[in-house]
Amino acid sequence: GGGCVCEAGYAGAECEVECPGKVGNGIFCSGSGTCTKQGTCRCDPGTWGGACEEDCPGGSQRPCAGNGACGLRGMCTCEAGWSGWSCDREVGVR
């Protein structure tokens, strides 16, 4: 059977679902992610939120101080040897 081919930022059987975070013509997810076939945002590294509208700790340019990964709720998971809200404290170093 047929089916619609949706424009960028739209999803659903009839392209009726608009991705969140529209910031311009054809730009969704706050310009910081891509729209999935389900109509949700998959955020670029360093951003999070339903519309990728939030920066991770340390900012979107250097999330988690480059020493960890930013999760779905904007929490950093630090690599071994690093701690802190934004993975900016070396373990055992004062």
Side-chain angles (χ1 to χ4, degrees):
C4 298
V5 176
C6 301
E7 292 180 15
Y10 294 88
E14 298 174 6
C15 305
E16 74 281 9
V17 179
E18 183 178 278
C19 246
K22 186 172 184 177
V23 293
N25 191 15
I27 302 172
F28 295 84
C29 302
S30 304
S32 298
T34 53
C35 187
T36 68
K37 286 182 162 66
Q38 293 75 35
T40 58
C41 291
R42 181 179 297 118
C43 299
D44 293 340
T47 62
W48 68 282
C52 305
E53 74 279 18
E54 303 286 342
D55 280 347
C56 292
S60 62
Q61 297 302 309
R62 198 158 182 263
C64 305
N67 301 314
C70 183
L72 294 175
R73 299 267 174 259
M75 304 282 294
C76 289
T77 302
C78 302
E79 293 173 1
W82 295 92
S83 69
W85 172 249
S86 61
C87 301
D88 59 348
R89 287 200 299 275
E90 207 168 347
V91 174
V93 176
R94 293 193 179 271

